[in-house]
Amino acid sequence: MDDPGQGTAVLMLDLPSSALCGIDLLSFTSSPRFRGIKNLPSGIHFIFTGASASFSVRHGSWVHVGVPGSEGPTIVIEKWNVEEERLVNEPNQAEQMRWKANINTIWNEGLTPYRQSVPAASGEPGTVEEENDWGRLTSYITPRLLSRITSGHLNDWTLSSASSAKEDTEKIPGLSSEGEFATADEPLHLLPINLKRTWREGAVGRERTEAAKDRSWALGDLIERHCSEDGEGQIIGEMQFTFLMVLTLGNYSCLEQWKRILNLTFTSQSATNERPNLFVMILSTLRLQLQHSNDVEGGLFYFSDEGGAMLQNLLKTFRRGLEDQNAKKHSAIMNELYELENYVKLAYGWELSDSYVRRGMLELEDGELIEMEVNDLEAEDERGEYAPVILEMT
């Protein structure tokens, strides 16, 4: 029953005509009668807007909707700020009370249902729900994680396309520590991952070399020092957060952090023995994210060409490391890796195993046979100019 007394809603007031508007994985252009979204399922949601549908600086805010009916319906009220060109929380308490008291006047006409129903397949009665992976994409994002990253509070966790962690500020084109966007947004407090120093303080010689190759110590230190409250879930939650901020806002700093998380975890071979569940979660999360990587308009994720080389090489190295240890010992991780491997092979044509044809004969349209050799992966296979060389010292 569509009852405004029991449902939840996010009011998005005074949006300019034809502004970009979105919630979770759905984006659309606003209309004059649009006032917001109703009947949100309980949990974490992300609202984002832009002054126009064309890609520009986008602003967004996370909201947490409780269980409907437990403590009354959740009504989040946001209003368009003309100067900042973004939605902000309605600051006037009297206005908040007025909108909540009169929610029934716009419930049917001004609010769009969160989850649309679609016609059932031919021969089946009724309707079916659209598939929605949002719950799985945000399963480890908690209010505590959002407060840490954005420095915000309940239902006021905000950021934009230009928001950045301090370590990424100088890398973003047009953005510097003294740029116009630097004071507009709070810096993002992402997990401190430094891939250039992955050994303990005081490490020298062989210990330092091994820690540079196998970053398990750095991963464990990160979890112990910065993820004490939610443990490994903080790693997964931040991986989910950064991916979605690239997907919806095109945030460069979050893209860099997403890549740092994958670089750290997939080069921590020894940690697979101590934290197998973490790697199972990383792999399953990555597979789901890749399935949605094209959802972003004009996307920052490019995996079908050279843009996917980084990830492909990481996965190949990670797979080889597991096989070198003992594949049977890591059966849960290997099973999840096989699922991911099957997906990237179908979606991008990637070969993660070393079992592939490197040289063979190719028949052209006119019947001519020519010899072909694949040398793109010589570095990973240590072939060609990348092959090991023994030097004799005299």
Side-chain angles (χ1 to χ4, degrees):
M1 182 178 179
D2 196 11
D3 181 5
Q6 296 296 322
T8 59
V10 174
L11 302 191
M12 308 163 77
L13 305 174
D14 299 340
L15 283 172
S17 179
S18 300
L20 172 72
C21 186
I23 182 166
D24 300 346
L25 298 177
L26 174 68
S27 61
F28 49 90
T29 301
S30 63
S31 64
R33 299 180 63 182
F34 176 75
R35 293 291 183 274
I37 310 288
K38 64 181 178 180
N39 296 336
L40 281 74
S42 60
I44 294 289
H45 297 280
F46 185 65
I47 305 162
F48 57 98
T49 56
S52 65
S54 60
F55 191 80
S56 58
V57 175
R58 298 179 181 179
H59 297 267
S61 61
W62 290 85
V63 296
H64 184 252
V65 177
V67 178
S70 58
E71 296 181 0
T74 300
I75 307 295
V76 178
I77 303 175
E78 301 209 340
K79 187 176 182 179
W80 184 258
N81 184 300
V82 177
E83 294 182 356
E84 299 179 10
E85 293 190 331
R86 68 184 183 100
L87 287 172
V88 297
N89 281 344
E90 171 57 67
N92 191 310
Q93 293 294 325
E95 280 294 297
Q96 288 191 29
M97 294 177 63
R98 184 178 71 83
W99 279 108
K100 289 179 180 181
N102 295 282
I103 191 69
N104 60 311
T105 62
I106 62 171
W107 189 263
N108 292 324
E109 298 294 332
L111 301 183
T112 300
Y114 171 81
R115 188 170 294 177
Q116 303 286 337
S117 59
V118 296
S122 177
E124 297 181 7
T127 59
V128 294
E129 288 291 328
E130 291 179 323
E131 184 179 354
N132 190 345
D133 283 331
W134 181 256
R136 296 169 59 204
L137 287 166
T138 58
S139 56
Y140 285 88
I141 298 179
T142 64
R144 182 159 46 195
L145 180 140
L146 294 173
S147 295
R148 169 177 66 81
I149 294 177
T150 68
S151 300
H153 52 81
L154 183 64
N155 292 344
D156 192 26
W157 301 294
T158 62
L159 70 160
S160 74
S161 303
S163 297
S164 174
K166 290 182 179 180
E167 57 267 31
D168 296 321
T169 299
E170 300 299 330
K171 301 177 183 178
I172 301 178
L175 184 65
S176 67
S177 57
E178 298 179 356
E180 60 176 311
F181 295 114
T183 56
D185 298 328
E186 286 288 331
L188 300 179
H189 301 284
L190 303 172
L191 291 172
I193 299 176
N194 183 2
L195 298 175
K196 296 181 179 179
R197 189 183 186 284
T198 56
W199 52 85
R200 68 175 181 84
E201 186 175 355
V204 294
R206 185 178 183 84
E207 180 185 0
R208 185 167 175 169
T209 301
E210 290 298 323
K213 295 169 58 180
D214 182 342
R215 294 164 170 159
S216 298
W217 179 88
L219 177 62
D221 182 66
L222 179 71
I223 294 173
E224 291 175 10
R225 294 178 58 188
H226 301 282
C227 307
S228 57
E229 294 178 339
D230 297 321
E232 297 170 353
Q234 285 273 323
I235 302 287
I236 307 298
E238 187 153 312
M239 180 181 172
Q240 292 177 335
F241 174 91
T242 51
F243 173 82
L244 291 170
M245 294 304 90
V246 177
L247 201 65
T248 55
L249 301 182
N251 186 285
Y252 178 85
S253 184
C254 287
L255 175 62
E256 292 300 298
Q257 180 70 353
W258 184 79
K259 292 191 291 187
R260 284 191 289 261
I261 291 173
L262 295 179
N263 264 286
L264 177 62
T265 52
F266 287 140
T267 55
S268 299
Q269 294 290 349
S270 300
T272 56
N273 299 316
E274 306 161 6
R275 306 177 185 275
N277 290 336
L278 171 63
F279 288 90
V280 170
M281 291 188 295
I282 287 283
L283 290 167
S284 62
T285 299
L286 177 60
R287 177 160 55 93
L288 180 63
Q289 290 180 341
L290 292 180
Q291 292 169 358
H292 288 277
S293 61
N294 292 324
D295 289 0
V296 61
E297 181 183 351
L300 292 181
F301 292 109
Y302 301 101
F303 296 122
S304 58
D305 51 22
E306 66 274 5
M310 179 275 293
L311 181 56
Q312 185 179 6
N313 293 341
L314 277 176
L315 292 174
K316 281 178 62 68
T317 303
F318 180 69
R319 188 186 199 278
R320 188 182 298 122
L322 288 177
E323 292 174 341
D324 289 344
Q325 293 184 58
N326 187 340
K328 293 182 179 180
K329 184 179 179 181
H330 300 93
S331 59
I333 300 177
M334 289 301 297
N335 289 339
E336 198 59 54
L337 183 58
Y338 290 146
E339 292 288 334
L340 177 60
E341 183 176 2
N342 289 334
Y343 176 77
V344 297
K345 184 175 182 178
L346 289 173
Y348 311 121
W350 295 357
E351 288 285 353
L352 301 186
S353 71
D354 293 327
S355 302
Y356 60 91
V357 177
R358 293 172 179 167
R359 178 182 296 176
M361 302 302 294
L362 176 67
E363 182 177 359
L364 301 180
E365 292 181 356
D366 60 2
E368 180 184 357
L369 293 176
I370 61 173
E371 187 178 22
M372 301 290 292
E373 182 177 4
V374 177
N375 54 21
D376 293 343
L377 300 176
E378 283 188 345
E380 289 72 32
D381 295 340
E382 296 184 336
R383 297 183 292 118
E385 64 178 295
Y386 300 97
V389 177
I390 299 176
L391 299 178
E392 293 185 4
M393 307 297 292
T394 58

